[in-house]
Amino acid sequence: MIILELLNYEILNASGEANKTAVPMFVFDTYPCFIDLAFPKSMSIHDVIVVFPENTDVNYTVYSSLDGVNFHRKGKSPKIARYLRVFVKYYSGEKVTINNIEVLGEDCSFPSKKAIFREPEIFEKTDFARPVTDEDIFEDIKGIIGRTIGEEYVEQFNLRLDRRLKDEYYSVASLQGKIVLTSNTGVGLASAFNCYLKEVCNCHISRFGNQVKLPKILPSVNGKIDRMTTFKHRYAYNYCTHSYSMAFWNEEQWQKEIDFLAMNGVNLVLDILGMEEVYRRFLTKLGYRHREIKNFITGPSYYAWFYMGNICGIGGPVHDNFFYERCQMARRNHRRMQTLGMNVVLQAYTGMVPRDINKKDKDIPTVEQGKWKGIEQPLIVSPDSAYYVKLAKLFYECQKEVFGDITHYYAGDIGHEGGKLNKATAKESYKNVMETMLSFDKDAMWIIQCWALNPTKLFTKSVKDYRENHIIMIDLNTEKINHNANRFSRLAKYGNVLCGLLNNFGGRNGLYGDITKIPDMIKNASKRPNFKGIALTAESINVNPIVTDIFFAYTWENITDIKEWAKKYAIRRYGKENENINECMEILLKTVYGTDNGALSFGATETMGCRRPLDPEAKSFSARGTIKIPYSTDDFDKAVSLFLKDFDKFKDNECYIYDAVDMLRQSICNKLTPLVKKTVSAYKSKDYLVCVEYCEELISLLDTLDRVLLNSEYFSFSSYIKPVKEYTDKLDDFTRELYMINAKALITTWYCRLLCDDGNLHDYAHRQLGDHINSFHKMRWEKFLEQVKTEMDGKKSADVDWFKVEWDWVLANVSFTEKVREDSLKALGKQILN
């Protein structure tokens, strides 16, 4: 986003007489972008005329404000304003050009409003700084129990902390009519509770529905269950997870997620929530004004790439409320994590600064980072310099002001997905970052993502003196590219390496994950002396609950028989054993959950119906994707049919409905792939009649897919955008529109034309969601069908600007259904599978 205060503009009085002032032409690299006009005093505005170059197609909105923070749409009647905002949302030329802005209005005596910025208190002055007690731990575990199975069951548990053992452990037993949960950590107690639910009660807790059927008096434990883990770290999240899944989450959603993490043994959590307040304080001390800082920070959907140093400003600005509210939410989350025994991973300072930093201090040495997907990256302060040390210490002090002295873990990469250092001083740069971190926190652990070319060979050599006690390497994608055995063989001797499971990219739907190989992956990794644990590094949390379940299960269990484990998983998830489901699970282990797409593939098979109508021979249609189906679709359809046979017995189970929808979704998507190929091939052969027939069948299948998806709220587009709507409900018109653009663009165009097409990010995070299929994906094929019919009539069809078509959908203000269907998925399945 671009914010400019124009002090030169053309003001016309009510009679139309112009007060002539020269207005320069303003040019911006991309859109959305905006200009703010600040008047000397309040004005009664009758009209605003924005002059663009001739023959340009522009979509823009004018907003007015009295306080310069909250902007509302200017209606037809006169509007009292102290500020105006011209928000350009689309521009057909290469660079957005505004020639002039004319304002029709007159001065008025209406007083301006002063926006009151609510700054979070210094952490140490808040109740969050209070030391954690055992009672706090017990209260939190009781909260988890009550939220999970009901408050009426809380008193049937006896919670005990026993810290005599060094390694984490838990036990589950019955004594004097109570279920006794014992551990040396809060996470251990939560895991013991989950173990009891799974192994004694056959219950299932997931991110996508729970299966909890319990008698009033809980069943006793037969004997005693004892578990221990040697995995020192059980890490959660990729940076991307925060953007693709959690950008607008509320407190209730975060509470549920932390409950889930604790119950699955996670004790190390990457958290970027509330970090904008750290950057606000940091940049303020470097001389930046509040508006400049908001201009630098990205919109909420793009935080992941901001904190990785890839982009800045995109999708912003952040509303003032975000600084306080997200900071407070982060503090509450951190408090819970600390109470449960989870370590929070905050940000390492790797030198990122705004591109205009030398306007604030011309002596600060900087390094250009080049472009990320066509967008100029932020600069970094030369990490080998004394200026870096000064700025890094300032950053860590600001972070401590905001979040306190709560962790020794800091994540951040120099040159993640690109970026540059001065080659001559790179070795000193890496050491300087590490040593500056240690000067702030002598027990600091620097967490590094092993991804693409990061970390470089020079990095691993430069910081070798710290590798045993101060660096953790997370092998993000162990299941696909085994860094320890391949080009990252140098990590084999590194002090602390976590075995990562990526599995998902961008939140793209798809049943996928070779769970038959996960045991060997972890087993082989754990043989290495540098193995220190596991990391769930999926880019999104919204797919494949079975993969998450078995991955975390290895924290406490040694699973040797996958078939038997899957059978027990099905009993827990669906509430009772069923022969048809057992047979279905056996087939799934040989198809979607027993094969992969090759060592260099990226997640599940992409759904070709959710693509632009382009080259049918392409191996993928989004960055890091594949259209290969590595299993027998006939076998898979047989599994789906078996799963649905007893639909009426399980239709009241939300876990079963979720999986039924997901399986039918996959079956339809598998049929769309060959159909898309035939459709586009027929078009290229100019066999128009056949092409129309195929395309109409394709569109019909997309209709069916949309109908299937709307049978579960977890697959509803309205559920996806609900957090955005709820958060912005009481905010200004501009923020409501901007944040909705954030959410809708991320899973379609990703953002602007430059990132979408030149950066090849279109459809990277595409989703299959009810009402989204009909309104977006089907719309593209309908547009294609229009082309085909035009050419069939012997006319030349116009080239489709697919980005413009997609961007119009992003900008459109339309409603999406919130109603969940209650179809007989068994009947629907018969139609789909025949």
Side-chain angles (χ1 to χ4, degrees):
M1 277 297 178
I2 299 164
I3 305 173
L4 290 180
E5 290 186 34
L6 299 187
L7 300 181
N8 295 321
Y9 44 82
E10 192 168 1
I11 303 176
L12 295 85
N13 61 30
S15 63
E17 297 173 351
N19 176 12
K20 297 291 184 181
T21 305
V23 179
M25 179 172 68
F26 289 89
V27 180
F28 310 108
D29 288 336
T30 189
Y31 55 85
C33 59
F34 63 86
I35 292 176
D36 282 355
L37 281 70
F39 303 127
K41 56 184 177 180
S42 296
M43 296 186 63
S44 176
I45 307 297
H46 296 274
D47 200 7
V48 178
I49 301 170
V50 186
V51 182
F52 296 93
E54 293 183 1
N55 302 317
T56 52
D57 182 12
V58 184
N59 184 335
Y60 74 95
T61 302
V62 176
Y63 297 90
S64 63
S65 173
L66 284 171
D67 60 14
V69 171
N70 299 290
F71 286 83
H72 297 278
R73 287 178 179 271
K74 181 189 174 300
K76 292 182 179 180
S77 59
K79 189 81 171 181
I80 307 299
R82 173 74 169 78
Y83 305 87
L84 286 182
R85 173 168 288 172
V86 178
F87 182 31
V88 180
K89 296 173 283 188
Y90 175 77
Y91 187 86
S92 60
E94 284 191 12
K95 290 182 180 289
V96 181
T97 303
I98 299 177
N99 288 343
N100 197 9
I101 300 173
E102 301 175 0
V103 181
L104 179 63
E106 59 263 332
D107 293 344
C108 68
S109 58
F110 195 88
S112 299
K113 288 184 178 179
K114 184 176 181 180
I116 299 174
F117 180 78
R118 189 176 184 185
E119 184 175 29
E121 285 183 273
I122 300 297
F123 180 84
E124 295 302 328
K125 297 180 179 180
T126 71
D127 191 52
F128 296 112
R130 179 176 56 83
V132 172
T133 66
D134 286 356
E135 189 57 37
D136 292 330
I137 299 172
F138 293 141
E139 284 302 308
D140 209 330
I141 299 301
K142 289 176 183 178
I144 292 175
I145 295 170
R147 287 186 292 273
T148 304
I149 62 175
E151 292 293 335
E152 65 273 22
Y153 291 105
V154 171
E155 294 305 315
Q156 295 187 46
F157 288 87
N158 186 330
L159 307 177
R160 297 179 179 179
L161 284 168
D162 186 342
R163 298 186 175 91
R164 286 176 292 180
L165 291 180
K166 182 179 179 181
D167 289 332
E168 277 188 84
Y169 78 97
Y170 66 72
S171 67
V172 183
S174 291
L175 181 66
Q176 297 177 348
K178 292 200 174 187
I179 310 303
V180 181
L181 308 178
T182 306
S183 181
N184 48 3
T185 67
V187 165
L189 288 174
S191 298
F193 170 58
N194 197 24
C195 172
Y196 171 75
L197 292 182
K198 291 195 300 183
E199 299 185 26
V200 180
C201 305
N202 279 326
C203 292
H204 179 78
I205 309 299
S206 80
R207 286 163 165 152
F208 312 106
N210 297 336
Q211 188 286 114
V212 180
K213 290 184 179 178
L214 294 168
K216 289 184 178 180
I217 303 299
L218 293 174
S220 60
V221 182
N222 184 15
K224 184 182 181 183
I225 302 172
D226 281 305
R227 297 279 161 77
M228 181 176 291
T229 182
T230 56
F231 296 0
K232 182 176 180 181
H233 304 299
R234 289 90 63 189
Y235 179 91
Y237 304 145
N238 187 308
Y239 273 91
C240 300
T241 319
H242 284 267
S243 286
Y244 286 132
S245 296
M246 309 159 175
F248 296 95
W249 270 12
N250 59 32
E251 187 174 346
E252 182 180 349
Q253 288 171 298
W254 270 113
Q255 184 179 65
K256 180 181 177 182
E257 175 69 3
I258 294 172
D259 288 354
F260 177 81
L261 295 180
M263 291 173 67
N264 284 278
V266 172
N267 68 350
L268 190 59
V269 183
L270 175 66
D271 196 1
I272 60 175
L273 183 65
M275 277 301 302
E276 59 271 270
E277 173 60 17
V278 176
Y279 268 92
R280 186 192 69 80
R281 291 177 187 239
F282 173 62
L283 292 174
T284 297
K285 292 177 181 180
L286 294 183
Y288 281 87
R289 293 181 301 162
H290 186 63
R291 290 165 66 83
E292 293 176 307
I293 295 168
K294 289 170 66 174
N295 190 30
F296 177 61
I297 298 172
T298 64
S301 288
Y302 304 96
Y303 276 178
W305 302 278
F306 175 66
Y307 293 121
M308 287 191 288
N310 302 136
I311 56 176
C312 59
I314 294 297
V318 177
H319 190 275
D320 275 10
N321 283 18
F322 231 63
F323 290 95
Y324 179 82
E325 292 177 3
R326 300 318 250 196
C327 174
Q328 291 300 99
M329 190 184 298
R331 287 172 168 178
R332 286 191 290 270
N333 288 355
H334 294 170
R335 177 69 183 186
R336 285 208 63 211
M337 292 176 195
Q338 281 186 290
T339 300
L340 291 165
M342 298 178 182
N343 289 299
V344 181
V345 180
L346 294 177
Q347 287 298 103
Y349 185 64
T350 54
M352 183 174 72
V353 287
R355 295 190 59 79
D356 63 352
I357 186 65
N358 288 125
K359 291 181 180 179
K360 306 298 179 183
D361 186 338
K362 62 182 176 61
D363 295 324
I364 294 180
T366 60
V367 183
E368 278 281 356
Q369 296 300 287
K371 294 183 177 182
W372 185 82
K373 308 298 182 182
I375 296 288
E376 294 285 353
Q377 297 190 74
L379 298 177
I380 65 168
V381 178
S382 297
D384 63 309
S385 68
Y387 271 91
Y388 168 79
V389 175
K390 177 182 176 182
L391 266 60
K393 288 183 177 179
L394 180 62
F395 178 87
Y396 290 126
E397 287 167 3
C398 291
Q399 189 162 252
K400 186 175 179 179
E401 281 183 11
V402 176
F403 295 130
D405 191 9
I406 63 168
T407 189
H408 299 302
Y409 296 89
Y410 307 91
D413 302 301
I414 300 175
H416 172 84
E417 290 194 357
K420 303 171 185 176
L421 281 178
N422 184 324
K423 291 183 179 179
T425 59
K427 184 175 181 180
E428 290 305 312
S429 293
Y430 294 130
K431 286 183 65 177
N432 213 25
V433 173
M434 180 79 260
E435 289 172 356
T436 305
M437 191 187 302
L438 288 169
S439 71
F440 175 79
D441 180 353
K442 64 181 178 60
D443 298 314
M445 296 290 288
W446 186 1
I447 294 181
I448 303 295
Q449 298 180 117
C450 300
W451 176 249
L453 298 177
N454 185 61
T456 64
K457 188 174 183 179
L458 181 58
F459 173 87
T460 57
K461 287 185 175 180
S462 302
V463 296
K464 65 180 181 180
D465 292 341
Y466 305 101
R467 64 189 183 190
E468 297 297 329
N469 300 312
H470 297 291
I471 292 178
I472 296 176
M473 298 284 191
I474 299 182
D475 189 354
L476 292 187
N477 202 6
T478 308
E479 81 272 27
K480 288 299 170 193
I481 305 171
N482 193 327
H483 298 285
N484 287 319
N486 200 347
R487 20 185 205 138
F488 283 82
S489 59
R490 58 187 172 277
L491 298 188
K493 297 180 181 179
Y494 231 78
N496 304 280
V497 176
L498 304 187
C499 171
L501 183 73
L502 192 43
N503 184 254
N504 172 264
F505 291 80
R508 301 193 291 254
N509 299 90
L511 296 181
Y512 173 76
D514 192 356
I515 65 176
T516 61
K517 288 184 179 178
I518 290 177
D520 288 337
M521 180 184 84
I522 297 177
K523 184 179 179 181
N524 292 336
S526 63
K527 290 178 181 178
R528 304 184 188 111
N530 62 347
F531 173 79
K532 291 297 185 292
I534 59 175
L536 187 66
T537 52
E539 287 191 353
S540 176
I541 67 170
N542 67 314
V543 293
N544 294 303
I546 190 173
V547 175
T548 302
D549 198 286
I550 193 169
F551 186 68
F552 280 143
Y554 279 98
T555 297
W556 308 102
E557 303 173 50
N558 180 25
I559 300 167
T560 56
D561 188 334
I562 295 296
K563 183 178 176 180
E564 184 63 23
W565 179 89
K567 182 178 178 179
K568 291 179 179 178
Y569 171 87
I571 295 172
R572 297 196 306 268
R573 187 157 172 82
Y574 310 125
K576 55 188 172 183
E577 187 170 6
N578 179 275
E579 285 304 314
N580 289 318
I581 291 179
N582 286 344
E583 191 176 347
C584 164
M585 294 298 293
E586 290 183 21
I587 298 173
L588 294 181
L589 291 178
K590 297 174 183 177
T591 53
V592 290
Y593 293 124
T595 56
D596 62 45
N597 281 320
L600 297 177
S601 70
F602 293 92
T605 299
E606 295 174 309
T607 299
M608 290 192 72
C610 297
R611 62 167 288 179
R612 293 174 173 177
L614 299 172
D615 184 3
E617 302 304 320
K619 294 182 179 179
S620 70
F621 63 88
S622 64
R624 299 196 178 102
T626 178
I627 60 171
K628 176 185 175 184
I629 301 176
Y631 54 84
S632 165
T633 56
D634 289 339
D635 287 350
F636 175 74
D637 283 354
K638 181 180 177 182
V640 181
S641 181
L642 285 164
F643 189 81
L644 295 173
K645 270 192 174 182
D646 297 306
F647 175 80
D648 291 336
K649 295 179 181 178
F650 294 96
K651 63 182 180 181
D652 295 327
N653 180 310
E654 63 176 341
C655 297
Y656 177 85
I657 293 297
Y658 176 95
D659 290 345
V661 168
D662 208 7
M663 288 185 194
L664 285 172
R665 178 206 56 75
Q666 189 65 59
S667 181
I668 294 171
C669 291
N670 289 346
K671 290 170 175 52
L672 283 167
T673 291
L675 187 54
V676 167
K677 289 183 177 182
K678 291 190 292 186
T679 302
V680 183
S681 293
Y683 172 72
K684 290 199 166 189
S685 302
K686 297 188 177 181
D687 195 348
Y688 295 125
L689 282 173
V690 172
C691 181
V692 168
E693 181 182 337
Y694 284 148
C695 196
E696 288 176 343
E697 183 182 350
L698 193 160
I699 289 170
S700 177
L701 261 182
L702 289 172
D703 276 329
T704 303
L705 176 59
D706 199 80
R707 180 180 174 184
V708 167
L709 292 167
L710 284 172
N711 277 272
S712 170
E713 66 174 325
Y714 296 107
F715 289 96
S716 162
F717 186 73
S718 63
S719 294
Y720 168 76
I721 61 172
K722 184 179 179 182
V724 189
K725 293 173 69 175
E726 287 181 345
Y727 180 75
T728 60
D729 182 52
K730 296 181 181 179
L731 296 181
D732 59 302
D733 295 339
F734 172 76
T735 303
R736 277 198 293 273
E737 182 169 18
L738 178 66
Y739 285 3
M740 191 57 70
I741 289 173
N742 267 235
K744 293 170 73 176
L746 186 67
I747 65 171
T748 52
T749 65
W750 210 85
Y751 195 59
C752 61
R753 186 186 292 274
L754 187 59
L755 287 164
C756 176
D757 290 344
D758 294 355
N760 195 31
L761 287 174
H762 67 85
D763 294 311
Y764 177 85
H766 68 268
R767 308 290 169 90
Q768 293 145 49
L769 299 170
D771 233 14
H772 180 47
I773 294 293
N774 259 342
S775 67
F776 182 79
H777 295 298
K778 189 179 80 168
M779 171 268 295
R780 293 195 291 194
W781 287 102
E782 289 174 333
K783 182 74 68 175
F784 174 75
L785 183 57
E786 290 174 12
Q787 280 186 296
V788 176
K789 289 182 176 179
T790 297
E791 295 184 28
M792 190 167 61
D793 291 339
K795 302 174 184 176
K796 181 176 175 59
S797 64
D799 290 336
V800 177
D801 181 347
W802 289 111
F803 173 79
K804 178 62 166 59
V805 169
E806 295 154 358
W807 192 246
D808 285 346
W809 179 88
V810 170
L811 298 183
N813 182 20
V814 296
S815 299
F816 298 93
T817 182
E818 296 181 7
K819 184 178 180 181
V820 176
R821 298 177 66 98
E822 295 182 352
D823 293 322
S824 169
L825 295 178
K826 182 178 182 179
L828 261 178
K830 286 181 179 179
Q831 297 174 27
I832 294 163
L833 299 171
N834 286 341

